[in-house]
Every structure is written in C-alpha cells, then in structure tokens.
Amino acid sequence: MLFGTVTCFKTGTCWFGQPASLGVWESNHYLITTCALYRLAITHLQDVYDHNYLAADFQAINGSCRDVHMIITTELAKFNISSRFFRLAREEIALANIMADLIYDPASYTHFDNEEFENGSKFVMMQLRAAQSSLARREWQYARMAIGFMLHSMQDFYSHSNWIELGMREPNRDLAMGRRLGSTANKDTRTCKSCNGSDEDCIRNNLIVDQYLTTGYFSYTYPIQTPPGKCHHGYTCDFPGENSEYCEGISKDSMYSPHRHLHYTAASVAYSATTKVLNELRASTNTYTFGKFLGLTNSFSLVFVIDVSNRLQPLVGMIRTVTSQLVDSVQNISNKPSNYILSPFNGSHWGPIRVVTKINEFFDLIESLNETKLQHSSKHYYDSLNEALKACESESLVFFFTDAPSHEPCPQGPTRALTRLKKTKIDVLFVNSSQSTSETISELNHFAVTTGGLFINIDITQPKINGKFIYRRLQETLGYECILFESMSNHSEGVFMIDTTATSFHINVVSSSPSIAFQLIEPMGSMLRRNPSVQSDYLQMFSIVVTAQSDVGQWKYTCSEDCVIEVNMKSEFRCRTQLYAPLSNELSEGIVVTPPLFNQSGVATMTTCDDPNQVSNNSIQLISTTGDILSEYLATNGFIQEIKIPLQSFRIRTCITRHDGTLAYRDERPLIEISRIMMIVHNQPLVAISGERLNVTYTIQNDANRCLYVQLDIDGVLKNSKWYSINSKSPRSDFIIIDTSQYPLKNETVRFIPLIFTLQAFKDNKQTASDEILFRHEQIVPFYVQDSDIHLEASNHFVNTA
C-alpha cells in the first residue's frame, strides 16, 4: 500500500484523507498546508484590494477548513486574474510537502524523530532561507518546493514531539527562527515508560518528563529498536489488543496513532505555525513577489526555441512575420503572458536566452536574430530547450522550431524532467525538408507526444496559418480543459464527451498526410458539416460553440488516415489527476519512480478539483496510445486511487460524476511511459557548504530480463555521460563528486538547486545515434548549497514548567 509506514501527519493520500474535498474527519499535511495557503491568499487580497469581508468566509478548525477556492476564484476574476495560477501554486507547495515523506524519509532529523532537535531546527531554517533565496532569484517554483519541504518538517515537530503533551497550545517561537528549541531532553534522560498495546490508558500517559522536550524514536527494522527509556514514535493501530511494539508511542499523526486523543490539538497548532511562518515570509518580501509566489497574479510564459542555422533563414523570416501578427492579436487576450522568452540555437551553439515582459520587445528580439549572437557551446539542441524551461513560468507555452535531429542518441531526459516539473507542453513545429529523415521525425514526434504537445509539419510560406495556431494556443491557456488527446498510432477514429459545463470547444487535428479527410458526428447522430476555421496540409482546426442541449453528449470522429486529435473544451470546471509511483528498496529509502516500472503495484493517482463540492465521485481510466481502455478504477477512497501500472505506455483519463448526475471527462495530455530501470540517490537531503565537494552515492537497478547498457547524465554535474553494463535483475552502485563552486552564491546564505538525474538504457554498447532506447528514467533531486553551517542562537521560548 502507498505510504504504508507513514512517519508523520498523514500525507493526505490513499486511505489517509481526501485532499480535494478538505472535508475529512482527521487532519493531514495536505489539509493543514492547503488551509494555511487559503488563509494567506485571503490576507493578501485583503491587504492589496482592501476586501476585508473575505475573512468571514474562512474558518480553520483542528487544522482543517472548508474549501474556499471558488470564493477566491470569484474575487480574482474581478481583477481579471485567473485562479488557475493560485491552484497551481497551492498544489506545488502542498504536494512538495507530502512528497517529503518519500524523498527525506530515512533522515530522522527532517521529521524531528529520534530527538534530533538541533539538526531538525537547522534543516527548517536552511529550507526557509533557500525559499527566500529562490524568491529573490524569481525562481517561483523552486521557492514553492523549498517551502513545501520546510512546512512538512515544521508540522512534524508538533506531531512527533511532546510539545502538545507539555500543555503548549501555540507554535514554538524559536522554530524556523534560527534558534535552539529550549529545554530538550539529553540522550540519558528517560522519557517514556513501556506499555502493553492493549493498555490504552498507559499509552495515553506514557510520558515521564514534564519539563523537557522529547520526540519518539522511529525504526525501519523489525523488531522495533528504541533506546532504553526513550519513547517510541508509534505506528497506526486500533485499541485494544494490538501488538505493543506498534501501538505504544507518542505520535499524533492520525486518529489511529498512540496519542490520537491529541491529534486535533497537534494539527491545530501545526496549522497556526504554518500560517505564522508564511506570514513572516510574506512580510520579508514585497507584494509583487509574494503574489507571484502564491499564484495571485497571471503568470505564464510564451517561449520560442528557434533553430537559426543558415539553412533555416526562411524559417526565421516566417517567425518574424508571425510575431508581428501576435503584437496586435495579443492585445485582444484578457490574460496575457507575463513574459516572453527567446532561446535560439544552431548545430553547435545556443543562446543567449532572452526574457522580456512585453510583446513588442519580443518582436524586437526576433527581428534582430542572427547566428553571431550564439555563445554557449552545445552538443545538441536540447540545451536550448532546457534553459528556456528553467527560465519559464509553470504551465507555459513552448514552441520548438527546427528541421534537424539531435547530435546524440535522444538526450531528452533533462527536458522531459523539466516539462514535468514545470507542467508545460512543447509543440514541435517541424520544417520538413530534403534533409529530414524518418529517425528525425520519429524522435521529435515521440518527444512532443511524451510532453503532451503536438508535432506538426509546418509550411514556412504560410505564416498566417502558423500564427493562427500559436494565437489559438494562447487562447486555450486559460479556461480550456483537455477532454481528449490521442496520438498517431494506428488511430483513425474515436469518441469524446462534451459535458454540461461547456460553452465551446476547439478541435486540433494533425496528420502526416496532406490529403486527410476529417468528419465529426454530433451526439444526435448527424454529421457536422463545417469547414475548418484554419487548414493547412497537415493541420485542421475547428471551433464549435455549444448552443443547445443537443450539443452535449458523446461526439464521434473519423480520420481517413492516422491522425492526432486534441479536443480542448471551454469550461470553468477544472479537475486534474496526477500519478505518483513510490518505491522502497531494501534500505527502505522511499523514492518516486519516474517513469513508473512495468507492472508496478501500489501506485497512486491523486485527483484535485477546483470546486470539489460539485463532485459526487470519480473513476480513473488508463488509456493506450490507440485510445483503448487498458484498465479502469472506481475511486473508493475519495479522490485518491491505488492503481497497477500496465505493460505499455498510457495516458490518464479522469471520469467525474457531478452532483447533478452529469458526467465530465478530463484527459491528461502527457504520455506516461513505463520502464525497467530506476535510480536511488542515497542519503538525501543533499547539503553542501559552498566551495566544498560533496560525495553523492547512488544505485541503478536493472529490473529487465536482460543485460542493459545504461547511460547516466546529471544536469550541471557531469560534463560527460557515465556508462554502465548492468546484468539482468541486478543493481549497480557508484558515486559522483559534486563541486559546489559551479553553484555560486550571490548575496544569499542558501541556494536551492534541483539536480536532474537521467538514465537511458540500450540493448548494446554501440553508443551511437541509431541505438534504440529501451527504457528511460528521470529524477529531480533537491540540492542545497550553504555559505556556512547554520549556528543556532539561544532559545527565547522555554517550556512552561509552572
């Protein structure tokens, strides 16, 4: 089962809660964090817009609150701000919080276990400083990740220590302030008496200290190992009659924990501590920065990554024409991009990347494009994509213009990892020429499909059509939900559902043949006779307004030849499903497997909806590349469902039953590939002092039934790939040395760097561009660089022993 040995407030997953509803009978990390973010959003709106009445709609009890997303949505709409960005920021913070259990589980100090007060306090402070540094760098997503991780540790303090048992009902004023935590028990102090698992009264009163802070000791081994006289952490159990080794302890994680009678109190104080530190973060920065951090402003990027090789000068000319059209048309969009990013490249160099905030400035950049400005040496064009993805906002629009293959065997790993991190799709606009090969087209088509974008052959003599496609993408950025995305793989027909929340929908049809015929069948069975609003040899676009009840229901489509079809529906009813594939190895180190492994069990899908009050229940379908349903799961635990990974690549479709009885379908665009290789980076979190070198150990596991040749790349660390020959069903361990001098600190004490580890597995050791990649694996590992070790100041908040 997912998160079977939870070490802290329940993560908010599987049977531990329903994060989308917020209406559960016990608190968890997801609920506590989400409610605190609601509170901060309301505070921000009160201060910026002087709308004090919003506070009346919010109340937190026992660390939980009712969902007020739609109230905030209504408020933001008054200022032409989409709530999509607030939802995204909230999810990034809350999900980073619950993922800390998988990333940092073996490190006891990150959860305030084993009386690790000093190291735990340093860790909290380090992450807070890292978040502040990321905000100063305008790395909004990195700041959200660091804050999410930090809040997890801080919330654990109230559930894992005896702070609540000592009668304290307010947050510890020293925690997250760089100070020691006051009167703490030393290693020789007896803190707990032993109890029998059936003696609930003994377990409720097992603490024997009344003036010192202590925490439970957590064990990954059986039988449970706890120092004599010290407190157990305690696991989930029901009284009476459970094994004492599991039941005795002081954790308050849930209503099944040993000190469950204090669960609500601990959750309430953890919530207060969370709002307190978020308010302090807000006070330490300006209104603009905090608004961006919390997603209370429109924030997405329009990104052009352009091949400017000499042979493609006509392409550059076409893009100049397209951009000049956008200068006028963008003015008609209510929610404009917050910035525009240009990242040029050619066969051997790339850059410099340029970021501007106005469309006119973007046009000027493209007008001045030429090869002489390219600076950074590059082996392949993915460098240019990667730098653009690092600079762009989450859920941005990326357009990739080229006619050439990469210069190495499909080095897509870092780019794929960044697209998942930034939750963005990449449309590949391909200039087909006499130099184009089937391998080039296959590589780029696969790349577009896995990121959830489209691969389109474009005609550079038709800038007007290409401009209309880009403008349509801008229109679809806000308010449109994807309800069908099916790639070109022996695929020429299918169905999609238009629900009652729709006001209009767009259909994008892409083919590899210029002679494709496309037909639509309405729900009543008649053929829709309508010409495409935009049509080229390889692209057809339809725009359909929902005007009658007869437009609602199941539509059918047919293509005369294989096609890619994407249907985006205009609707304010937003739900999305994300997949988490955790795995624990023999060392009990939790990781998230990306992509998931063949036939893997214990994988969770998490569905979140902007307005969960409209949702009665939901189910999950795993859809093949040909549109077939591989498996279906009825959600029996609210918005969380445990699934089994199939034996082929798939997409996720969410089927939602609303309270009025109507159905709504939502497709996740990115294709989820499956793998037989994985990697475990040991001893996380990775922390180093600036100027020093850090030894990082890792293990690569080959789960296939054959020997594999595996290529390892680490973004920003390895100048050249490492190669391994790994036998069937075998591990391979190794290490790398990270030189922190490549991550300089600039007027900051801590810097947060997401390191990207990528694996590609081949069947032989040729290491040529023609090699077939059998399996892939990508993983983002948090890395912290400090100017010096954190030294805690004296405590100001001692335990009240009166």
Side-chain angles (χ1 to χ4, degrees):
M1 299 293 283
L2 178 64
F3 307 126
T5 54
V6 177
T7 66
C8 46
F9 273 126
K10 296 297 181 60
T11 59
T13 55
C14 204
W15 63 92
F16 299 141
Q18 301 173 12
S21 67
L22 303 185
V24 295
W25 70 292
E26 65 178 7
S27 295
N28 55 51
H29 279 295
Y30 192 101
L31 299 181
I32 293 168
T33 304
T34 299
C35 289
L37 293 172
Y38 280 149
R39 175 65 263 185
L40 264 292
I42 289 173
T43 299
H44 183 83
L45 292 172
Q46 286 176 313
D47 289 354
V48 173
Y49 301 111
D50 196 28
H51 289 186
N52 294 324
Y53 59 86
L54 287 172
D57 294 315
F58 180 86
Q59 185 178 15
I61 300 175
N62 299 325
S64 297
C65 62
R66 75 183 184 94
D67 195 300
V68 296
H69 179 88
M70 297 311 294
I71 293 172
I72 294 173
T73 295
T74 300
E75 195 66 19
L76 291 173
K78 297 176 183 178
F79 309 102
N80 207 24
I81 299 173
S82 172
S83 65
R84 164 194 172 201
F85 304 107
F86 172 59
R87 181 225 5 112
L88 179 64
R90 195 181 75 236
E91 281 186 2
E92 288 178 347
I93 296 169
L95 293 177
N97 185 316
I98 67 176
M99 295 309 291
D101 266 341
L102 293 179
I103 298 173
Y104 298 145
D105 218 13
S108 59
Y109 66 88
T110 66
H111 304 284
F112 282 97
D113 291 326
N114 304 355
E115 296 184 315
E116 288 265 21
F117 289 112
E118 181 155 334
N119 287 334
S121 296
K122 288 181 179 180
F123 185 63
V124 167
M125 193 63 203
M126 179 191 71
Q127 291 181 106
L128 179 58
R129 290 177 178 176
Q132 293 169 332
S133 170
S134 294
L135 287 179
R137 289 173 172 267
R138 298 197 169 191
E139 297 170 341
W140 317 116
Q141 190 175 41
Y142 298 170
R144 293 168 194 152
M145 291 173 66
I147 280 292
F149 294 146
M150 184 217 64
L151 291 177
H152 184 105
S153 299
M154 189 183 69
Q155 291 162 2
D156 276 354
F157 169 80
Y158 300 99
S159 180
H160 295 183
S161 77
N162 63 332
W163 181 259
I164 302 300
E165 285 85 347
L166 289 169
M168 311 303 286
R169 296 298 182 264
E170 61 181 44
N172 188 306
R173 294 194 297 273
D174 294 328
L175 189 57
M177 298 302 292
R179 294 194 288 263
R180 293 186 174 84
L181 298 186
S183 305
T184 58
N186 61 40
K187 297 299 181 182
D188 298 323
T189 303
R190 293 184 70 246
T191 55
C192 272
K193 60 184 177 182
S194 296
C195 298
N196 184 286
S198 61
D199 190 346
E200 184 173 356
D201 183 68
C202 177
I203 292 172
R204 288 169 63 102
N205 299 284
N206 57 344
L207 281 156
I208 56 177
V209 291
D210 59 3
Q211 56 184 331
Y212 297 112
L213 275 173
T214 186
T215 69
Y217 279 71
F218 187 86
S219 175
Y220 287 97
T221 61
Y222 184 85
I224 295 172
Q225 304 280 334
T226 299
K230 291 297 185 179
C231 302
H232 290 287
H233 174 277
Y235 301 86
T236 58
C237 58
D238 284 312
F239 297 100
E242 292 284 344
N243 188 304
S244 62
E245 287 185 288
Y246 292 103
C247 285
E248 63 176 304
I250 64 170
S251 70
K252 296 161 282 294
D253 296 337
S254 76
M255 294 304 293
Y256 293 97
S257 296
H259 280 200
R260 57 184 178 180
H261 60 291
L262 295 173
H263 166 71
Y264 288 136
T265 306
S268 181
V269 178
Y271 165 79
S272 297
T274 301
T275 55
K276 176 177 178 290
V277 75
L278 288 173
N279 270 312
E280 290 167 351
L281 178 68
R282 178 171 170 269
S284 69
T285 187
N286 56 54
T287 299
Y288 169 82
T289 298
F290 192 79
K292 292 282 284 187
F293 166 74
L294 210 53
L296 297 174
T297 182
N298 292 332
S299 301
F300 72 98
S301 306
L302 174 61
V303 182
F304 280 9
V305 180
I306 306 174
D307 190 337
V308 294
S309 303
N310 279 331
R311 69 182 185 279
L312 284 175
Q313 285 308 300
L315 169 65
V316 176
M318 185 274 291
I319 295 173
R320 290 188 179 116
T321 302
V322 166
T323 312
S324 67
Q325 297 170 359
L326 288 176
V327 170
D328 294 327
S329 57
V330 162
Q331 307 307 321
N332 300 322
I333 300 177
S334 57
N335 294 301
K336 300 175 179 60
S338 54
N339 57 36
Y340 303 83
I341 299 174
L342 175 63
S343 186
F345 68 96
N346 60 23
S348 60
H349 294 78
W350 66 269
I353 187 171
R354 301 292 298 274
V355 182
V356 295
T357 57
K358 294 181 173 59
I359 185 67
N360 290 337
E361 297 171 341
F362 189 53
F363 174 68
D364 291 341
L365 290 178
I366 293 174
E367 277 285 286
S368 61
L369 267 180
N370 60 71
E371 285 190 354
T372 60
K373 291 186 177 180
L374 300 178
Q375 297 176 347
H376 304 284
S377 178
S378 171
K379 294 181 180 178
H380 47 70
Y381 51 49
Y382 288 107
D383 282 345
S384 192
L385 270 168
N386 293 346
E387 293 307 308
L389 287 168
K390 290 175 183 178
C392 76
E393 306 272 8
S394 296
E395 292 199 5
S396 293
L397 297 176
V398 181
F399 297 97
F400 179 34
F401 301 86
T402 190
D403 72 337
S406 62
H407 293 267
E408 289 188 350
C410 299
Q412 299 176 2
T415 316
R416 287 151 51 98
L418 285 168
T419 56
R420 276 194 296 270
L421 180 68
K422 292 298 181 78
K423 300 178 180 65
T424 190
K425 64 180 183 294
I426 300 176
D427 288 326
V428 177
L429 305 184
F430 184 70
V431 182
N432 209 332
S433 68
S434 59
Q435 298 184 17
S436 302
T437 64
S438 59
E439 289 82 6
T440 300
I441 294 173
S442 177
E443 174 195 336
L444 290 172
N445 185 47
H446 176 268
F447 173 67
V449 165
T450 55
T451 66
L454 294 173
F455 173 89
I456 305 174
N457 285 290
I458 62 169
D459 186 342
I460 58 177
T461 66
Q462 297 181 319
K464 188 173 182 179
I465 289 177
N466 299 325
K468 285 184 177 180
F469 173 74
I470 293 172
Y471 179 65
R472 182 173 174 120
R473 283 307 210 204
L474 283 168
Q475 290 178 309
E476 292 171 352
T477 301
L478 303 175
Y480 279 83
E481 292 291 288
C482 180
I483 60 173
L484 182 68
F485 192 102
E486 294 185 335
S487 55
M488 191 185 306
S489 179
N490 298 318
H491 194 78
S492 59
E493 62 181 8
V495 299
F496 58 90
M497 181 73 72
I498 297 297
D499 63 64
T500 57
T501 69
T503 56
S504 64
F505 58 98
H506 288 170
I507 301 176
N508 301 315
V509 184
V510 178
S511 69
S512 58
S513 169
S515 58
I516 188 171
F518 179 77
Q519 292 183 335
L520 271 178
I521 309 299
E522 298 174 305
M524 301 302 290
S526 58
M527 184 180 298
L528 181 69
R529 302 187 183 280
R530 180 174 299 183
N531 293 324
S533 55
V534 175
Q535 183 172 9
S536 67
D537 286 344
Y538 304 99
L539 172 67
Q540 297 182 36
M541 299 193 301
F542 298 82
S543 297
I544 300 172
V545 178
V546 177
T547 59
Q549 182 62 34
S550 59
D551 294 330
V552 174
Q554 180 176 280
W555 290 64
K556 298 179 182 179
Y557 72 89
T558 60
C559 298
S560 60
E561 301 181 44
D562 290 348
C563 65
V564 177
I565 180 169
E566 177 188 51
V567 183
N568 297 308
M569 184 176 71
K570 181 74 170 178
S571 171
E572 296 305 322
F573 178 68
R574 180 178 176 86
C575 291
R576 65 180 309 225
T577 297
Q578 300 178 77
L579 180 143
Y580 297 95
L583 187 73
S584 292
N585 72 342
E586 66 277 4
L587 300 177
S588 296
E589 290 182 281
I591 65 168
V592 178
V593 180
T594 311
L597 301 179
F598 278 76
N599 218 30
Q600 183 181 350
S601 300
V603 176
T605 58
M606 177 185 291
T607 302
T608 53
C609 297
D610 282 357
D611 190 0
N613 296 319
Q614 293 189 37
V615 180
S616 175
N617 56 64
N618 73 291
S619 62
I620 302 298
Q621 294 178 351
L622 307 185
I623 309 296
S624 73
T625 54
T626 58
D628 298 323
I629 299 176
L630 301 175
S631 53
E632 185 169 10
Y633 298 88
L634 297 176
T636 57
N637 294 297
F639 290 81
I640 304 298
Q641 181 57 47
E642 187 174 331
I643 68 169
K644 185 175 183 179
I645 298 301
L647 299 177
Q648 60 180 287
S649 300
F650 64 95
R651 283 187 173 83
I652 297 176
R653 176 172 297 159
T654 308
C655 312
I656 302 154
T657 303
R658 303 171 71 230
H659 280 302
D660 61 6
T662 59
L663 298 177
Y665 291 80
R666 300 290 183 265
D667 270 19
E668 299 300 320
R669 287 187 181 89
L671 180 69
I672 298 176
E673 294 188 293
I674 49 181
S675 184
R676 286 195 182 274
I677 56 173
M678 59 165 287
M679 184 176 191
I680 299 166
V681 179
H682 303 295
N683 303 317
Q684 295 190 54
L686 303 181
V687 182
I689 302 299
S690 181
E692 297 182 356
R693 294 158 65 89
L694 179 67
N695 188 346
V696 178
T697 60
Y698 54 84
T699 298
I700 301 171
Q701 176 71 37
N702 174 13
D703 194 47
N705 294 317
R706 61 177 300 168
C707 176
L708 294 174
Y709 294 91
V710 179
Q711 177 187 17
L712 168 66
D713 288 286
I714 307 174
D715 182 54
V717 175
L718 291 179
K719 294 182 178 179
N720 299 300
S721 301
K722 279 194 170 188
W723 284 84
Y724 302 96
S725 174
I726 306 179
N727 291 329
S728 169
K729 304 291 184 179
S730 299
R732 178 70 179 271
S733 295
D734 200 357
F735 70 94
I736 56 161
I737 303 295
I738 299 179
D739 183 359
T740 61
S741 62
Q742 62 187 309
Y743 303 108
L745 303 181
K746 300 177 181 179
N747 300 318
E748 56 199 342
T749 57
V750 184
R751 183 178 171 188
F752 175 79
I753 301 112
L755 291 180
I756 304 174
F757 290 71
T758 63
L759 302 177
Q760 297 179 128
F762 301 82
K763 61 182 178 181
D764 54 41
N765 202 21
K766 293 179 182 178
Q767 301 181 24
T768 65
S770 61
D771 284 350
E772 178 188 0
I773 295 177
L774 300 180
F775 310 111
R776 306 173 193 262
H777 170 89
E778 299 96 31
Q779 183 179 162
I780 295 181
V781 176
F783 176 43
Y784 302 87
V785 178
Q786 303 184 86
D787 63 344
S788 61
D789 190 18
I790 294 175
H791 297 284
L792 299 176
E793 298 177 3
S795 173
N796 286 338
H797 194 179
F798 291 90
V799 174
N800 182 8
T801 59

